[in-house]
Amino acid sequence: MLVKDILAVDVGATKLAAARVTSEGVIKKQSSIPTKSDNAEDLFLKLLSLSEDVLEGVEVAGCGVGSAGPMTDNGEKISPLNIPQWRSFPLRSKLSEALGVPVVLDNDAKAIALGEGWIGAASGHRNYLAMVVSTGIGGGLVIDGKLLDGDMGNAGHIGHVTVESDGPLCLCGSTGCLEALASGAAIEKETGKPAAEASDEVKMRCGYFVGKAISIAVNLLDIPIVLIGGSVALGFGPIFLNQVRSTATTFCGLDFTKDLQIDFAGLEDKAPLIGAAAVWLNSNGSISVEE
């Protein structure tokens, strides 16, 4: 069992966050800064400084990173759609070299899936979907007790499921993606206001599209549990969640989908950092999402 803490790093389009997390999932110190910079190296140096401030000279076992995607080569290079400064950016190797510790990187939603299976609401379950509805939208899938990676590490990218065929253009280049309709960035683009100021009508509309996307995943993969995290989803609260559930029920007509459970992430706003720690622990076999 690990006795040293883990450095957990969450890379999002709105903020960068870091924390020291114990091997039992307890956050000991955390901090965050806005994701603002003029160029790739400046942004990296800000993340490095944030990480060093959280470490306070304490030796850690390693570093787990949950980052917005997509990525290539299972985390070797990242190109977050909503962080234009970083394109094919080798964050994992640069952070490892600068901090002098081994670093493991995965998609932020996949990290949350690991965290929820470790000490969250999915603990003990072998099949579930974890989602992030924030500035962007992502997902992580656990099937038969194993986190799905895919060829390049991007499995579960539910934000780029088409939910409206004649919908708006997405940053990925397609049209009608869930992310282009229900993410924080999409809401601000449509309304001219931050997602935190969204009307009930907008919250329910986003809930409709998220529920529709969930139904696609559930019907395809026979998933009984869906957990939703992220600042937009958690901020929208019950009116959003109720609409997600109602819509998913409408589009899930098969017998194996009738008992579908949809809830907010059990770890709530701690999910990204605990998930990042879980990325490190999972890579070393210290935890497992299997029963």
Side-chain angles (χ1 to χ4, degrees):
M1 178 181 292
L2 289 172
V3 293
K4 293 180 181 177
D5 294 343
I6 305 112
L7 173 63
V9 174
D10 176 49
V11 176
T14 301
K15 69 176 181 179
L16 306 174
R20 280 205 327 270
V21 181
T22 71
S23 58
E24 288 77 38
V26 177
I27 294 177
K28 295 174 72 171
K29 179 177 180 179
Q30 64 178 317
S31 186
S32 64
I33 57 174
T35 308
K36 293 181 179 179
S37 72
D38 295 327
N39 56 65
E41 193 62 25
D42 177 63
L43 184 59
F44 172 73
L45 291 175
K46 288 182 177 180
L47 178 61
L48 178 60
S49 177
L50 175 69
S51 301
E52 290 173 338
D53 287 345
V54 165
L55 285 174
E56 296 181 311
V58 175
E59 185 177 351
V60 292
C63 173
V65 180
S67 173
M71 64 180 70
T72 61
D73 301 323
N74 289 287
E76 288 305 310
K77 294 182 180 180
I78 62 170
S79 301
L81 292 183
N82 292 297
I83 306 178
Q85 299 94 324
W86 284 348
R87 289 292 175 266
S88 297
F89 190 76
L91 177 61
R92 188 201 62 76
S93 59
K94 285 179 68 68
L95 199 57
S96 179
E97 180 180 0
L99 292 174
V101 299
V103 175
V104 181
L105 185 148
D106 210 336
N107 178 273
D108 53 357
K110 289 170 65 187
I112 288 178
L114 285 174
E116 289 292 326
W118 175 28
I119 57 173
S123 180
H125 295 280
R126 291 176 54 79
N127 298 282
Y128 60 92
L129 164 67
M131 290 183 66
V132 175
V133 182
S134 188
T135 305
I137 296 179
L141 290 160
V142 172
I143 304 295
D144 296 333
K146 301 204 178 285
L147 180 70
L148 296 189
D149 289 321
D151 191 44
M152 291 286 186
N154 296 295
H157 244 299
I158 196 169
H160 299 282
V161 168
T162 299
V163 291
E164 189 171 64
S165 58
D166 59 348
L169 181 67
C170 181
L171 286 175
C172 75
S174 185
T175 56
C177 292
L178 177 62
E179 183 165 300
L181 287 156
S183 67
I187 293 167
E188 186 166 355
K189 183 177 180 180
E190 179 187 357
T191 66
K193 298 178 181 179
E197 299 176 19
S199 66
D200 286 352
E201 180 182 359
V202 170
K203 294 175 183 178
M204 293 179 68
R205 183 171 181 269
C206 290
Y208 170 82
F209 287 120
V210 170
K212 190 174 182 180
I214 284 172
S215 73
I216 295 170
V218 167
N219 286 322
L220 180 66
L221 296 169
D222 190 8
I223 299 168
I225 298 171
V226 177
L227 301 171
I228 308 173
S231 59
V232 171
L234 296 175
F236 280 3
I239 190 172
F240 165 82
L241 184 60
N242 290 337
Q243 184 63 57
V244 172
R245 289 169 171 166
S246 175
T247 303
T249 298
T250 298
F251 289 104
C252 291
L254 297 166
D255 285 345
F256 67 80
T257 64
K258 65 182 180 181
D259 295 323
L260 175 65
Q261 299 176 39
I262 303 175
D263 288 297
F264 286 129
L267 298 173
E268 299 179 332
D269 59 352
K270 297 182 292 184
L273 287 170
I274 291 180
V279 167
W280 165 259
L281 292 168
N282 184 64
S283 73
N284 288 273
S286 299
I287 63 168
S288 173
V289 292
E290 297 187 71
E291 290 180 308

